[in-house]
Structure formats: structure tokens, C-alpha cells
Amino acid sequence: MFEFLQIAVDFASLPVRPEVFTIPAFDAFGRELGPFALRWYSLSYIAAIVLGWWLLARMIRRPGAPMTPETLDNFITWATLGVILGGRIGYVLFYNLDKYLADPIEVLRLWDGGMSFHGGALGVLIGCFGFAMFNGTSGLRVLDYVVTVSPLGLGLGRLANFVNGELWGRPTCSEWGVIFPNAGPEPRYPSQLFEAGLEGAVLLAVLSWLFWRTDARLRPGLLAGVFGVGYSLARTFIENYRE
């Protein structure tokens, strides 16, 4: 509790201009737990999995669900392995392959961050269709349920990026913006918050409305298609502000 109170004090005492916010650098708990270190990014994944699990448990109570309460726990294992392994392997292959070839043990240090969306998306796809094949159900319908809760993870992950002071936006070229610890003195767009809002909150609201208020959940692939289009539009827009 003391660490969180200290964080609040740090925010309140920052010497910043009213139009410029300086984000302080701090760890999740300020200490390591044995060989592991808790980080905001890791906590965002844990929270997303737990919240997604809870929401899926409510969703499958509706008639015609592609899984049962008994098979949901099994599916969470498929999905968790898919997003973590896929996200990490994608990051290693597409972003920092030379670094990990030089020190392969670094691949296992998930708590230091380094996950790719497209790798995680491919891992979840494999998890959904693998689960469906082994349980005799529709992979597209399983995917529809998963994408409906996926914005939880996207939004929480972007909030963790903001607190970590990473994946910052471009300079605003004005007196307005956020100054990140490792990004120089220029005020920058808080593009992580833009992404959390559009890819997280807005996309979650749209998909939830379609799921709970319409028959979209009964039309295989519809919710997955809406997610794909919505995410693409949001990401394309935000790339104008992200560095």
C-alpha cells in the first residue's frame, strides 16, 4: 500500500506546466520477488486473462454458446498459451531477433515486456481452432466469443505501455503533450492512451453491444469481422500520432 501512496504523491508533486504532463518512471512494486520482477505489463496480461475469463463465463450462459462451463477452463489454457507464446515468438522474430540469438535466455524474460500483437493474434487463432477441433465445435464461433473480450487485453496493455513510458507518440510541436522519461524533452502525444481508448474501450463497447443486443453471436465470423475492421481502423488512425 505504501508504494501506491508514494506513486500518488509523486504525481501530485510534479513540477509541470498546466498543459504539459511529465510521467514519472516507477516500477509496479519497487522491488523484485526472488528471480522475478512484477511489472505493469505483466500485471496487465494477468488482469486481462482473469477479466476475460469472468466475462466469457457470463457470455456462454446464453443459448447456443460454442462451449460449456466445463470446457471453458480448458479453453482458457489454449487461449493463454496462444496469446503469450504467439506474442513472444512474434516479437522475437520480427523485432529483436539478433538480440535473442546472442542471448537466447532473454526469450524467457516475459516480465521485461516485448510482445507483438500480430504474433499474439496468430497464437489466439491457433488456440481457438485447435480447441474447436478437439471439442467438435465451430472455430469461427469460438473466435467470435474471444474477440468480444479481447479489447480488455488491448486496453490494459496500452495503459501499461503509458505507465512504463514506452511506445510513445510523436512530438506535438506545441506546448501541449506528455514528456516521457526516455523520450527527450519534447511534449509528445500520449498515443498509448489513444490506443487504449479506441482499441480498448470503444471496440469493447461496440462488440459487447452486438453480442448482447443483437443476434450477431449466432452468425459465425461476424463478430470476428467487426473486430478486425474496427481494430484496423483504430490502429490506422492512431499511427498518425505514434512514433
Side-chain angles (χ1 to χ4, degrees):
M1 178 62 72
F2 174 77
E3 287 83 357
F4 287 101
L5 290 175
Q6 185 61 50
I7 288 170
V9 171
D10 290 342
F11 272 110
S13 61
L14 288 173
V16 299
R17 301 190 303 275
E19 68 277 11
V20 177
F21 175 75
T22 303
I23 183 171
F26 52 81
D27 291 332
F29 294 97
R31 64 172 63 94
E32 296 189 353
L33 303 177
F36 300 102
L38 285 176
R39 296 287 185 263
W40 292 109
Y41 203 58
S42 303
L43 293 175
S44 72
Y45 268 76
I46 295 171
I49 291 169
V50 172
L51 290 173
W53 193 343
W54 172 79
L55 189 52
L56 279 172
R58 295 187 60 204
M59 292 165 62
I60 63 173
R61 295 175 189 169
R62 302 205 71 183
M67 63 185 82
T68 66
E70 290 73 25
T71 59
L72 175 60
D73 293 354
N74 185 30
F75 170 73
I76 294 298
T77 302
W78 283 84
T80 301
L81 289 174
V83 69
I84 293 177
L85 293 178
R88 188 59 168 177
I89 293 171
Y91 182 82
V92 169
L93 292 178
F94 298 124
Y95 292 105
N96 278 294
L97 182 58
D98 291 341
K99 169 188 173 182
Y100 293 109
L101 286 176
D103 188 8
I105 198 65
E106 284 290 318
V107 174
L108 303 178
R109 294 180 62 87
L110 295 175
W111 51 90
D112 285 339
M115 304 284 279
S116 79
F117 170 79
H118 40 282
L122 181 59
V124 170
L125 279 172
I126 294 173
C128 287
F129 283 90
F131 169 83
M133 181 177 67
F134 279 95
N135 288 273
T137 188
S138 167
L140 269 180
R141 296 209 60 227
V142 172
L143 184 61
D144 284 336
Y145 277 63
V146 172
V147 299
T148 301
V149 303
S150 292
L152 284 169
L154 294 174
L156 289 171
R158 294 311 181 190
L159 291 177
N161 291 148
F162 178 76
V163 174
N164 285 341
E166 60 193 6
L167 302 182
W168 50 73
R170 299 176 182 178
T172 61
C173 299
S174 71
E175 291 297 307
W176 176 89
V178 176
I179 297 175
F180 294 95
N182 299 312
E186 306 93 349
R188 295 177 176 273
Y189 290 108
S191 58
Q192 313 97 320
L193 299 183
F194 297 168
E195 291 183 280
L198 290 179
E199 300 170 9
V202 172
L203 199 51
L204 178 64
V206 170
L207 290 168
S208 296
W209 183 84
L210 288 172
F211 181 91
W212 294 102
R213 300 296 183 182
T214 74
D215 65 348
R217 63 188 174 83
L218 301 176
R219 301 170 64 182
L222 177 58
L223 290 170
V226 172
F227 172 85
V229 172
Y231 179 84
S232 300
L233 291 174
R235 187 63 180 268
T236 300
F237 171 75
I238 293 165
E239 286 299 317
N240 293 306
Y241 301 95
R242 177 176 168 174
E243 182 169 299

